[in-house]
Amino acid sequence: MMLHPSLSFFKQLIDTLTQKKIVMASLRYKPLEERVAFSGDYDFITSEENIDAILEVLFALATEARFNFVINRVKYGKTVISLFGTSDARPIILEIWTYLEVRFEKTLSYLFWEDVEPHIIYQEGIGYTLSLEFEALYYISHLKTKKKDLTLPLIRERLDYYSEVLKEGYPEYRQWYRALAADSSLRNEIGTKANSVLVEKGILFTAGDRAKAGMAKKLRLQISLHRIYSQWLRRMKITPVVGPDGVGKTSIINALKKRARSKIKYYRFKNLFRHNFLYQFSFPFLKRKLETGVAKNQFDDIYGAWLVTIAWLRFPLLALVTLLGKRFYFSDRFFHDLILKDTRFPEKKAVLRGNWKALLKKTPRTFWFLHLDAPTEVVLSRKQELNGDAVDCYRSEVFRMYLEKPSRIYSYINTANPIETCGDVLMQTARNIGIKSR
């Protein structure tokens, strides 16, 4: 039986990560079947160092397959990937953690990657998973921590699954699962037993371990600061829409406008620097240094680094307007466009500027970032303002800048897909930032 395209892509992602030996271990049983794939999520754990590598593989596969996807990093240590496919607004959701949460009295409330990693195994044809013993213990702990309803169909299926696979080797744990399946009121009692075993095995630590207590304190602080900053960014209602000419930035913003009841304003980023007195004052002097016939867009390309500074100086005023107002601003272009070099010169190879990281530090971080893309031939069939090399540069280098300085939410939208599907996908994320649908 053929897999749903989104499931097939998901499997390809897991297989590719495994081939590249990038560890992203499954936390619990969930079948790769359409009946359950589009509800709930698939949970994984990895190291902080692996996150960018995972996202790079995702991006490479998605651009090839024309898949829309969203990366959500609103919570510290948690990366949520929503795979939307090419014509489907139903996502398959992956939650990737760099630590695990446990609620158990007198413990530190977290399982750290360095303590989980020794319990990760590789299984031929499956990939990286937790060892059966650790997976079984942690799932019971998870049910207690999250106060899960044990009558839900997928949870019932998992209880039956673990009861079966634990038959040989772990009879005590099997009895726990059979007891949970028979009586959901035993969740906390059996969860306490599982957590006690995690403590005994040196995976879950108590406050008496000073080194781990220090790690837990640092993690709690990082989680709190990340949450506060996320809330601040969310209030600043500015969303960059970045991609090459011809990718459909205006069409996408209009598609959102049609679906939204909240007020959405189309904002032209060029106004941020071209209407600044520094630009108007320096323009005639700087243009004299150039050959005659240089268009204004080419001027902006040449002096992009200077324009980043001008836009950066004026950006706080725009941010204040959005903080005080109710409209959501969608910016056609952003600082990222200025950090690219030679996109307006067909005879040159478009690249990131040599000091791109310094320029990116000046770039304001936003809560949501829209990266629009399409196959190079599709973009060029719509507009001929850039060459194919510049379109390719936009594709790869805008994502590279995102990895260097990530927004809390990043949406990759391939506009070769139906505009209705793209609009529906974006509206799902728009609701998360407070935009009300019609």
Side-chain angles (χ1 to χ4, degrees):
M1 187 175 68
M2 289 186 62
L3 284 176
H4 185 282
S6 294
L7 275 170
S8 181
F9 179 87
F10 175 36
K11 186 176 184 304
Q12 184 186 13
L13 173 62
I14 299 301
D15 290 346
T16 305
L17 291 172
T18 302
Q19 289 166 12
K20 291 178 176 290
K21 297 184 178 179
I22 300 171
V23 178
M24 187 176 83
S26 172
L27 287 179
R28 60 187 66 96
Y29 167 77
K30 183 178 180 181
L32 198 65
E33 298 174 10
E34 189 172 352
R35 65 184 176 84
V36 294
F38 296 98
S39 60
D41 47 68
Y42 290 87
D43 295 275
F44 300 88
I45 186 168
T46 191
S47 66
E48 287 186 24
E49 293 75 20
N50 279 343
I51 292 294
D52 281 1
I54 292 167
L55 298 182
E56 285 170 352
V57 171
L58 167 66
F59 183 76
L61 294 176
T63 53
E64 181 68 25
R66 304 186 183 186
F67 257 58
N68 297 325
F69 68 88
V70 177
I71 303 169
N72 181 319
R73 298 164 110 170
V74 173
K75 182 170 183 176
Y76 183 83
K78 177 183 178 183
T79 302
V80 182
I81 298 173
S82 300
L83 305 174
F84 284 96
T86 57
S87 58
D88 201 333
R90 297 180 304 160
I92 291 178
I93 299 174
L94 290 64
E95 289 192 357
I96 308 170
W97 295 84
T98 57
Y99 63 88
L100 300 177
E101 297 175 325
V102 175
R103 300 278 170 81
F104 186 43
E105 299 77 11
K106 297 180 181 179
T107 65
L108 298 176
S109 301
Y110 302 110
L111 298 179
F112 302 103
W113 164 253
E114 64 183 45
D115 301 312
V116 174
E117 186 181 16
H119 302 277
I120 293 173
I121 61 174
Y122 170 75
Q123 297 188 65
E124 191 69 38
I126 298 176
Y128 294 101
T129 67
L130 300 179
S131 67
L132 179 57
E133 181 183 18
F134 180 61
E135 183 177 331
L137 289 169
Y138 176 67
Y139 185 57
I140 294 176
S141 174
H142 172 74
L143 294 176
K144 177 181 184 293
T145 296
K146 299 299 182 181
K147 300 179 180 178
K148 292 288 187 177
D149 180 356
L150 304 192
T151 64
L152 294 175
L154 182 56
I155 291 181
R156 299 292 304 178
E157 183 176 344
R158 283 175 175 154
L159 294 178
D160 292 340
Y161 167 80
Y162 288 116
S163 294
E164 181 63 28
V165 297
L166 292 167
K167 189 183 298 183
E168 295 182 10
Y170 302 100
E172 183 181 9
Y173 303 159
R174 183 184 186 225
Q175 284 301 117
W176 291 353
Y177 273 95
R178 295 182 71 180
L180 286 171
D183 186 355
S184 60
S185 68
L186 296 174
R187 182 192 62 198
N188 289 345
E189 179 186 333
I190 295 177
T192 297
K193 290 180 180 179
N195 283 333
S196 297
V197 175
L198 290 173
V199 173
E200 289 170 10
K201 290 184 174 294
I203 302 171
L204 179 61
F205 292 87
T206 65
D209 189 307
R210 290 189 177 183
K212 296 296 182 181
M215 290 172 62
K217 184 176 181 181
K218 180 181 178 181
L219 179 57
R220 280 193 291 270
L221 178 61
Q222 289 170 320
I223 291 171
S224 297
L225 292 176
H226 191 89
R227 182 179 64 251
I228 292 168
Y229 191 33
S230 294
Q231 292 169 347
W232 166 254
L233 289 176
R234 192 174 184 269
R235 290 181 60 206
M236 188 177 65
K237 300 179 285 295
I238 302 171
T239 301
V241 184
V242 177
D245 291 336
V247 80
K249 294 186 287 292
T250 303
S251 299
I252 285 294
I253 295 172
N254 287 336
L256 270 174
K257 279 185 174 182
K258 289 178 183 177
R259 289 164 172 76
R261 186 155 50 92
S262 302
K263 293 180 180 179
I264 289 178
K265 178 178 174 59
Y266 172 92
Y267 182 77
R268 197 164 180 258
F269 177 70
K270 289 180 181 178
N271 292 343
L272 193 63
F273 55 87
R274 284 187 178 175
H275 291 179
N276 188 287
F277 78 95
L278 287 173
Y279 181 93
Q280 295 167 358
F281 176 78
S282 62
F283 179 81
F285 297 99
L286 294 174
K287 194 167 184 182
R288 287 176 196 166
K289 300 179 180 181
L290 306 177
E291 298 176 4
T292 57
V294 172
K296 206 163 191 177
N297 280 339
Q298 291 177 318
F299 173 89
D300 293 346
D301 188 313
I302 294 168
Y303 293 108
W306 166 232
L307 303 187
V308 166
T309 299
I310 293 176
W312 172 71
L313 290 170
R314 196 161 180 240
F315 185 83
L317 179 60
L318 175 63
L320 181 62
V321 170
T322 65
L323 285 167
L324 298 177
K326 294 183 178 180
R327 289 191 293 183
F328 293 83
Y329 282 60
F330 283 79
S331 177
D332 183 342
R333 305 180 188 278
F334 208 57
F335 290 79
H336 304 69
D337 295 82
L338 298 175
I339 297 174
L340 297 175
K341 180 184 177 184
D342 294 334
T343 59
R344 298 291 173 174
F345 295 90
E347 71 280 4
K348 296 182 179 181
K349 181 177 176 59
V351 294
L352 282 171
R353 296 183 189 276
N355 62 337
W356 70 273
K357 289 188 178 181
L359 294 173
L360 194 61
K361 287 181 179 179
K362 288 185 177 180
T363 299
R365 196 189 301 269
T366 57
F367 189 81
W368 189 15
F369 184 93
L370 300 188
H371 181 185
L372 304 189
D373 186 32
T376 302
E377 64 274 12
V378 173
V379 173
L380 296 179
S381 70
R382 296 170 180 168
K383 273 189 180 181
Q384 292 287 335
E385 293 193 24
L386 305 179
N387 61 22
D389 180 68
V391 175
D392 294 341
C393 179
Y394 259 96
R395 180 179 303 115
S396 60
E397 303 309 322
V398 167
F399 187 70
R400 187 179 175 187
M401 285 187 272
Y402 158 74
L403 291 179
E404 183 69 22
K405 189 173 186 177
S407 299
R408 292 299 187 255
I409 299 178
Y410 164 96
S411 293
Y412 173 86
I413 300 297
N414 195 304
T415 61
N417 297 323
I419 188 68
E420 288 300 312
T421 301
C422 294
D424 291 344
V425 168
L426 287 174
M427 196 60 223
Q428 290 190 39
T429 304
R431 293 189 192 100
N432 292 334
I433 67 166
I435 296 177
K436 297 177 181 177
S437 59
R438 292 186 186 276

